[in-house]
Every structure is written in structure tokens, then in C-alpha cells.
């Protein structure tokens, strides 16, 4: 093994890159051309590296440069370090752009179809390396988790307050009536609230059940009397099962139409202004600087623009 007098000083990235380039191209001249530096500069860098290591890395010949035994080990390590550094830099750039990383989204609507499913599918297509984590919970739990920093964004029913900074109105979904196929109203194309004033409604305690109950009361109470409501602490899918078995009728949002339950019919319900709807909004913390969140908000603004988004 060939040695030379060792001089103090750190090994820098440029030393490693130059050594790898000389080994790859087999000569100082070709390596200098590839790196777009003067050959004298490249030669001086290699000599400096050799002096700081106390080893001869290359045998200089008229035909080019050949690694010494020590040089082969050093360049092998140099190549690994450079590749690791380049990958780390690339990963950091991807993270800073929101192209990778985690994104935590909370919701309580159905993903069987509808706008939320479409936006998540579109986001996954645009950013395939982002890890999406979804949490389904009640509105109060989602907003609590959002405030605590456990969620990046929560999508819930209702309109945000005008003064809320980290929020955006999104889409609306039609309210649908679920009836047994044998029900006399099941043959209608659409229903009006007046058709439903004598029905027994089965509602879930889970969100958005309370919002649907409020809509139901506001629509039927003016027609006289109190609507008959039966609340169950079960999922919306199991509510449909009770409807199918003939225990009553129910309300769902149109995103839930993608899941199939036998022996039930789904009809749109209208009032004098057309189909009844519930609105959805996104909420996030304004001090959350996750680049992935910024990309998702940009997608929402693109798909559901408001006048303030165009400023």
C-alpha cells in the first residue's frame, strides 16, 4: 500500500466527487471535462485529498489514472457517501415540495362514492409518494384532534365562519331518502317533505346523523306535529339494513349511494327550492406548515374556487 505524508484538514464533498469521477472516466483529463473544471484544479484536489488521507489513491500514467489498492477502498466508500448524500438531498427537496411525507385527513362521510373519494383519488394520482392516513370520527372528535395537531385537515358538514382563517367551503351533497322497495312511496321519481310527514325515521347517532335530524325537524315540524324519530347507536350501513327489514325509513347523503343494500330504494327529497342539501367544509390549522397540506389545499381551491382564492 502506497503512503504519503499526511497533512491536516477535513475531507470535503468535492474531494469525494472528484475522486469518483477520475475512477469512472479512467483519466484526469476526461474527469475534468465531465466535471467542467480545469484539469489542474482536479489534479490539485486529488493531491489534497491524498495528502489529507496520507495515501496514494491513483497511479498517474501517460495512459490515464489507475486506482491503487488503497484508492479502490477509498473510492468505493466515496461513491457510497455521495450517493447517500445525493439521495438525502433529493428526499429533502421532495419533502419540502410536499411530494412525499404523511398527510392525515379526518372525515365522517362515506367513501363509497362522491366528492371526497374523487378528491382523494385525484390527490393520490398527483402525489403517489405521499402516505395518506385517514381517520373517521365524529365532528367534535375531528375538530379536537385537529386543534391538538393530530390531523392535518378535517372535512365536516356545515359552513365555516367568515372570520375563520384555516377553513374553506367545499361541495354540497343531496339528502336522499332510503325506503324499503315495498314502500308505497318507492315508485315515485322524487319525494317532497310533505310526502314524509307521517313516516317513522331511523337515524344514526353517528355523524352526520345529528345534522340530518336537524334538517328533518326543520322541514317536517312546520307541516304539523313532531316527526317520529328513532335513534340508533349503529352505523349508517346498519341503519339501511333496518330500513330494508321494514322498521322505517331514513335519510342519507348521496355519497353513501355507492354501497349496495338489497331491497331498498333511494329517492331525492325536495322542497320549494329544489333538492335538499348539506354543505361540507375543510378545516385546518393556519400554523400547520406541512407542504403536503399546502398541496391538498391547492387542489381543493382548484376544484372549488371561491372569490378569495382568485385574489
Amino acid at each position: 500500500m502506497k503512503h504519503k505524508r499526511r497533512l491536516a484538514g477535513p475531507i470535503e464533498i468535492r474531494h469525494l466527487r472528484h475522486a469518483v469521477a477520475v475512477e469512472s472516466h479512467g483519466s484526469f483529463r476526461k474527469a475534468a471535462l465531465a466535471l467542467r473544471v480545469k484539469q489542474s484544479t482536479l489534479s490539485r484536489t486529488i493531491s489534497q485529498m491524498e495528502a489529507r488521507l496520507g495515501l496514494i489513491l491513483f497511479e498517474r500514467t501517460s495512459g490515464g489514472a489507475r486506482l491503487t489498492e488503497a484508492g479502490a477502498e477509498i473510492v468505493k466508500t466515496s461513491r457510497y457517501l455521495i450517493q447517500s448524500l445525493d439521495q438525502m438531498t433529493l428526499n429533502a427537496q421532495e419533502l419540502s415540495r410536499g411530494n412525499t411525507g404523511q398527510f392525515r385527513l379526518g372525515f365522517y362521510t362515506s367513501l363509497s362514492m362522491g366528492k371526497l373519494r374523487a378528491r382523494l383519488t385525484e390527490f393520490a394520482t398527483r402525489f403517489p409518494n405521499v402516505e395518506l392516513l385517514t381517520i373517521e370520527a365524529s365532528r367534535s372528535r375531528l375538530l379536537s384532534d385537529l386543534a391538538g395537531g393530530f390531523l392535518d385537515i378535517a372535512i365536516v358538514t356545515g359552513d365555516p365562519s367568515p372570520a375563520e382563517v384555516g377553513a374553506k367551503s367545499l361541495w354540497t351533497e343531496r339528502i336522499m331518502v332510503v325506503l324499503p322497495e315495498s314502500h308505497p312511496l318507492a315508485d315515485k321519481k322524487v319525494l317532497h317533505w310533505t310526502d314524509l310527514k307521517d313516516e317513522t325515521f331511523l337515524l344514526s347517532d353517528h355523524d352526520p346523523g345529528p345534522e340530518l335530524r336537524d334538517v328533518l325537524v326543520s322541514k317536517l315540524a312546520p307541516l304539523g306535529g313532531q316527526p317520529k324519530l328513532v335513534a340508533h347507536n349503529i352505523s349508517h350501513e346498519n341503519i339501511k339494513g333496518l330500513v330494508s327489514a321494514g322498521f322505517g325509513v331514513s335519510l342519507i347523503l348521496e355519497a353513501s349511494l355507492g354501497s349496495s343494500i338489497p331491497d331498498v330504494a333511494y329517492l331525492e327529497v325536495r322542497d320549494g327550492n329544489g333538492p335538499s342539501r348539506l354543505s361540507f367544509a375543510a378545516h385546518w390549522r393556519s400554523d400547520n406548515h406541512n407542504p403536503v397540506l399546502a398541496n391538498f389545499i391547492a387542489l381543493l381551491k382548484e376544484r372549488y374556487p371561491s372569490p378569495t382564492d382568485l385574489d
Side-chain angles (χ1 to χ4, degrees):
M1 183 179 295
K2 296 187 178 181
H3 296 267
K4 65 187 299 183
R5 183 185 175 190
R6 182 173 181 176
L7 299 179
I11 301 299
E12 302 171 15
I13 294 299
R14 63 186 178 91
H15 294 129
L16 306 182
R17 292 194 185 280
H18 286 194
V20 169
V22 172
E23 187 274 335
S24 297
H25 294 281
S27 81
F28 282 73
R29 180 182 65 81
K30 292 179 181 179
L33 288 172
L35 293 172
R36 297 183 179 179
V37 299
K38 293 181 179 179
Q39 184 173 339
S40 59
T41 300
L42 176 66
S43 181
R44 187 163 54 251
T45 301
I46 297 299
S47 295
Q48 187 181 66
M49 182 178 181
E50 290 176 327
R52 292 180 181 183
L53 290 172
L55 296 169
I56 300 296
L57 303 181
F58 293 97
E59 293 180 353
R60 283 77 163 172
T61 67
S62 58
R66 186 171 68 247
L67 283 170
T68 63
E69 183 179 348
E73 288 299 318
I74 295 299
V75 169
K76 178 181 177 181
T77 302
S78 298
R79 191 183 301 278
Y80 170 79
L81 292 173
I82 290 171
Q83 290 174 346
S84 298
L85 178 63
D86 289 345
Q87 187 61 52
M88 181 184 71
T89 302
L90 178 61
N91 290 346
Q93 292 171 344
E94 292 294 287
L95 282 168
S96 68
R97 297 185 185 116
N99 294 331
T100 61
Q102 281 191 348
F103 182 57
R104 299 159 298 176
L105 179 144
F107 68 99
Y108 55 75
T109 187
S110 174
L111 292 179
S112 63
M113 61 178 292
K115 299 291 192 347
L116 179 56
R117 173 174 171 167
R119 298 294 75 78
L120 293 181
T121 300
E122 183 178 12
F123 188 75
T125 301
R126 291 190 186 185
F127 302 96
N129 295 320
V130 167
E131 182 182 6
L132 174 65
L133 304 176
T134 58
I135 297 93
E136 183 178 7
S138 67
R139 178 189 178 91
S140 60
R141 169 68 184 277
L142 292 177
L143 295 181
S144 174
D145 284 353
L146 183 66
F150 300 106
L151 287 177
D152 290 303
I153 199 166
I155 294 180
V156 298
T157 54
D159 294 312
S161 64
E164 189 173 355
V165 177
K168 175 172 176 53
S169 295
L170 298 175
W171 56 81
T172 63
E173 290 187 15
R174 291 178 300 158
I175 297 174
M176 310 295 292
V177 180
V178 189
L179 310 101
E181 284 186 340
S182 58
H183 195 287
L185 295 175
D187 292 332
K188 284 179 167 280
K189 291 184 178 180
V190 296
L191 294 176
H192 295 86
W193 290 106
T194 52
D195 297 321
L196 301 168
K197 61 185 180 66
D198 297 323
E199 298 295 332
T200 297
F201 285 87
L202 312 178
L203 295 176
S204 172
D205 287 333
H206 303 178
D207 289 331
E211 287 96 334
L212 293 173
R213 179 192 61 220
D214 292 343
V215 170
L216 187 60
V217 171
S218 70
K219 298 295 184 181
L220 294 186
L223 301 178
Q226 288 292 321
K228 184 178 180 181
L229 308 179
V230 181
H232 296 268
N233 189 21
I234 59 177
S235 69
H236 295 277
E237 293 306 301
N238 284 327
I239 289 287
K240 293 181 191 178
L242 291 178
V243 171
S244 174
F247 286 90
V249 303
S250 188
L251 300 179
I252 62 168
L253 295 177
E254 62 180 310
S256 299
L257 296 178
S259 59
S260 177
I261 297 289
D263 303 321
V264 298
Y266 303 97
L267 283 82
E268 182 182 278
V269 58
R270 296 181 179 178
D271 56 21
N273 298 316
S276 297
R277 293 178 173 271
L278 274 185
S279 58
F280 281 79
H283 300 259
W284 63 89
R285 285 179 47 158
S286 58
D287 61 350
N288 184 343
H289 302 299
N290 182 355
V292 182
L293 171 63
N295 287 339
F296 190 74
I297 293 172
L299 172 62
L300 294 180
K301 289 182 176 180
E302 177 185 333
R303 290 289 175 249
Y304 310 101
S306 60
T308 55
D309 296 332
L310 303 177
D311 292 343

